[in-house]
Amino acid sequence: MSRRMVSRLGSRLSSLLGQWPRTTLWRTALLLALLFLISQGTVFVLYHRYVLDPAAQRFAEFLLQSYRAIPPHAVLPGPPGTPPSNALQWLPSNARPGTISGNYFFAQSARAIARLAPGAALRMGSAAPGGTLVWIHGGTGQPWLGMRISPVNFGGSTFIFMRLMTIAFFTLLGAILIVRQINLPLLRLADRARSIGRGEVPAAPPSVGGPAEVQELEKAIQRMAQDLHILYEERAILLTGISHELRTPLSRLLLALHLPDAPLLEQKEAMQVDVTEMDEILDKFLALVRSGQEEKSIVSSPETLLARMAQIGRERYGLKIRIETPPALPSIAYRPMAMERVFRNLFDNAARYGQGRMEISAVQEAGEIVFRLRDFGPGVPAACLPLLGNAPLPNQRGIAHGSGIGLRICQRIIALHGGSLRFANAGGLVAEIKLPILSNS
């Protein structure tokens, strides 16, 4: 095929696609019409193949048997006192009565007669005052027999027109019903998407209804809205936290830079401390953004994880840690560096506010491993427990401890592992970490 022919086919295809309806209603109506026409064509072929053709074969056999059973030039007797019936008519063999029928049923009957008896033929004619004459020729040299039958009507153009109108009506009705089931929920989803774009995220919006696929799309949009809302909140926390945490060391640096040379040199060590503090602050916020997503998971036992974390808590934070775990707990999958960041943050809080002591336990509950880390500090007010890891906290323990970004990092990391992090007061602050058990454990 030449390039010119390919380009012509492409242009014709593009023109056809350009004429394709744009609205869902007319696209659905066109598709349904095509399906109805294809189904009608299939039914037409099957009806002729398995109904009309066998009927025409049996009709041809009946005509031949009748022709052979009736004596030549016989007439049927009518009621007493009436002339002989004209139900049977005879013509010589050289006559050509009637015409070859264009009707499918009679044409198939004529072909069947020609196959059953060589030289036989079937023709159709009209009979007064109404009706149809079937002329059958039994073979070479045999006369024609005409038999009067009732008018045969297979519907004609009126029936075809009514059938097409019925198909068109139900096609349009079906398209309207289908589009109504889909378009109305989609319009509601479009309104909800616009409200989401304005920053409105309803907690439990009413269902838009519709088919299961539209409801699944609704759930996906709602989840996306919640994720966007969380990202928006975290962005606000990120920007607010950076500006808040960096303001104090930057102010000290700015004040030191305005000092004369000698005092400025004396403040050099303090300035280095401020720079280190700012670097740590930026590292925290970068950790919030990443949350260990790039790190690969490993599979290990909870006892191994706790032993390694307890060693870090004792060596780097000076904590007195006691571990209680039952034997042979199922294995879990976790990102080691990210999980270490979670435990370090909890260890740091215990070292500051928990009197330097901590109890750690691990148990199996309903397909999860539950780690409980309890310090021996004053805890936090009950009203502030839901805010831990979810919002900036005021100074609840008497010491300025930042904006709570570390606990938010912990929440993100545990959520990335498919688990949860909760806090409670029980003779100190208790951090409860739940991680899923591996399915093959």
Side-chain angles (χ1 to χ4, degrees):
M1 184 179 295
S2 63
R3 294 183 179 177
R4 184 174 298 177
M5 294 180 64
V6 173
S7 62
R8 288 180 181 176
L9 288 175
S11 61
R12 290 180 181 178
L13 181 60
S14 300
S15 62
L16 289 176
L17 291 177
Q19 297 174 2
W20 184 255
R22 297 179 63 86
T23 62
T24 307
L25 173 62
W26 290 111
R27 287 188 177 188
T28 306
L30 181 58
L31 289 174
L32 287 178
L34 290 175
L35 290 176
F36 270 115
L37 291 176
I38 293 172
S39 64
Q40 287 293 311
T42 305
V43 170
F44 179 83
V45 172
L46 294 176
Y47 176 75
H48 283 67
R49 176 68 177 84
Y50 294 102
V51 177
L52 283 186
D53 290 353
Q57 178 73 19
R58 289 191 295 270
F59 183 65
E61 294 174 354
F62 170 75
L63 290 178
L64 280 177
Q65 291 173 3
S66 301
Y67 181 86
R68 293 166 181 169
I70 298 174
H73 306 290
V75 296
L76 296 178
T82 61
S85 172
N86 62 350
L88 298 180
Q89 298 184 27
W90 295 92
L91 291 177
S93 61
N94 58 356
R96 289 292 182 268
T99 59
I100 299 175
S101 177
N103 182 274
Y104 179 83
F105 177 77
F106 291 116
Q108 289 295 101
S109 300
R111 295 189 187 97
I113 287 176
R115 289 195 303 270
L116 293 172
L122 178 69
R123 299 172 73 89
M124 308 299 296
S126 59
T132 303
L133 275 175
V134 177
W135 293 96
I136 180 170
H137 178 48
T140 305
Q142 297 185 18
W144 288 86
L145 171 61
M147 292 182 289
R148 191 176 187 276
I149 62 175
S150 300
V152 179
N153 185 8
F154 289 92
S157 58
T158 303
F159 172 73
I160 295 175
F161 175 76
M162 294 299 296
R163 184 171 63 181
L164 291 178
M165 290 300 296
T166 303
I167 291 174
F169 171 75
F170 282 104
T171 298
L172 187 58
L173 178 62
I176 292 174
L177 293 178
I178 292 174
V179 171
R180 182 181 177 83
Q181 289 290 319
I182 298 176
N183 275 12
L184 290 181
L186 288 179
L187 289 175
R188 298 191 192 104
L189 281 179
D191 292 338
R192 186 172 299 175
R194 283 190 285 270
S195 66
I196 291 171
R198 295 190 296 267
E200 303 172 6
V201 185
S207 176
V208 299
E213 293 80 2
V214 177
Q215 295 181 16
E216 190 64 29
L217 175 62
E218 175 193 6
K219 295 177 183 177
I221 290 178
Q222 187 63 24
R223 287 194 297 268
M224 179 191 68
Q226 294 172 354
D227 293 340
L228 289 175
H229 186 66
I230 292 173
L231 289 175
Y232 172 79
E233 286 186 340
E234 291 185 348
R235 184 190 66 175
I237 291 174
L238 185 67
L239 296 176
T240 305
I242 289 177
S243 62
H244 172 75
E245 297 288 342
L246 295 183
R247 186 174 290 116
T248 300
L250 284 175
S251 299
R252 289 198 298 263
L253 286 175
L254 183 62
L255 180 62
L257 290 175
H258 285 81
L259 296 174
D261 293 341
L264 179 62
L265 293 176
E266 294 176 359
Q267 294 292 325
K268 182 178 179 180
E269 184 177 352
M271 294 170 64
Q272 291 176 346
V273 172
D274 288 337
V275 171
T276 302
E277 182 182 351
M278 287 189 291
D279 185 65
E280 291 178 353
I281 291 171
L282 292 175
D283 182 65
K284 276 188 177 181
F285 284 101
L286 288 176
L288 173 63
V289 174
R290 294 169 183 164
S291 298
Q293 295 179 359
E294 301 86 357
E295 188 180 3
K296 293 184 179 181
S297 298
I298 65 171
V299 176
S300 178
S301 64
E303 298 90 341
T304 304
L305 172 63
L306 289 184
R308 179 168 174 266
M309 295 299 106
Q311 182 180 1
I312 294 176
R314 294 186 185 104
E315 294 178 354
R316 301 188 183 182
Y317 296 91
L319 294 175
K320 297 179 181 180
I321 298 176
R322 185 165 63 91
I323 300 177
E324 294 181 0
T325 59
L329 287 174
S331 299
I332 56 174
Y334 60 91
R335 295 169 170 84
M337 296 302 297
M339 194 60 63
E340 180 180 334
R341 184 177 292 120
V342 172
F343 277 86
R344 281 192 177 192
N345 194 286
L346 298 176
F347 290 157
D348 181 68
N349 290 336
R352 292 187 182 187
Y353 319 116
Q355 299 181 5
R357 297 180 355 181
M358 176 171 280
E359 289 183 353
I360 303 177
S361 63
V363 294
Q364 178 181 354
E365 294 181 0
E368 294 177 321
I369 296 296
V370 181
F371 300 97
R372 291 185 176 91
L373 292 82
R374 170 177 171 263
D375 63 25
F376 292 83
V380 297
C384 295
L385 284 175
L387 300 178
L388 287 176
N390 296 305
L393 289 176
N395 185 3
Q396 299 294 343
R397 296 193 178 187
I399 302 175
H401 58 281
S403 60
I405 197 67
L407 293 181
R408 181 170 286 271
I409 294 173
C410 296
Q411 290 279 14
R412 287 282 300 272
I413 291 174
I414 298 301
L416 182 64
H417 286 76
S420 61
L421 175 61
R422 299 289 183 270
F423 295 92
N425 288 319
L429 183 65
V430 177
E432 185 179 84
I433 301 173
K434 293 184 178 180
L435 296 178
I437 298 172
L438 291 180
S439 57
N440 57 353
S441 295

